Amino acid sequence: MGHVLIMLITASLFVIPWAVVSSYSMEPTLEVGDLVIMMPPSQNCGSLLNHVAIYYSPQFGDYIVHRVIAINNAQGCTYIFKGDANPVPDPYPVPHGNVVGVVTFVIPN
């Protein structure tokens, strides 16, 4: 899984959410040690399709950074994620409320 270490940088009066990639599941898009800057996800369910996002997985007890490959509106807006280097999608659908951020900028290792 594409585990990440999520940190928050407080600069002046605003917070910059960022994470460090800690697995190989998103190569070549993201590599271990890359710093990703994220923004909160849109409330529009369809806006995340094909974007790299970070979600909390209660099944693994960790944050995962993978790409949204499908959306299921019939189940109240759930997403199917997949690491770019993984042969199969992640095993569980992810509810919109578990998505903590969308990757908007990458600072390479």
Side-chain angles (χ1 to χ4, degrees), residues 1-9 16-26 30-38 54 62-65 103 105-109:
M1 290 287 159
H3 303 283
V4 294
L5 173 64
I6 294 188
M7 306 293 271
L8 300 175
I9 299 173
I16 302 169
W18 60 277
V20 177
V21 178
S22 61
S23 85
Y24 299 97
S25 67
M26 280 301 293
L30 298 173
E31 297 183 7
V32 171
D34 285 355
L35 181 73
V36 294
I37 307 297
M38 62 182 147
I54 298 171
D62 207 351
Y63 291 92
I64 311 293
V65 57
V103 174
F105 188 74
V106 178
I107 301 171
N109 177 351

Side-chain angles (χ1 to χ4, degrees), residues 29-100:
T29 306
L30 298 173
E31 297 183 7
V32 171
D34 285 355
L35 181 73
V36 294
I37 307 297
M38 62 182 147
M39 61 184 287
S42 166
Q43 292 303 314
N44 177 354
C45 184
S47 68
L48 290 183
L49 188 61
N50 296 319
H51 288 275
V52 176
I54 298 171
Y55 70 92
Y56 179 73
S57 170
Q59 294 84 1
F60 296 108
D62 207 351
Y63 291 92
I64 311 293
V65 57
H66 279 172
R67 186 177 307 279
V68 175
I69 61 166
I71 299 170
N72 185 343
N73 286 320
Q75 294 181 348
C77 190
T78 61
Y79 303 102
I80 302 299
F81 281 82
K82 179 183 169 299
D84 289 356
N86 292 348
V88 296
D90 297 356
Y92 305 102
V94 177
H96 182 78
N98 286 28
V99 179
V100 296

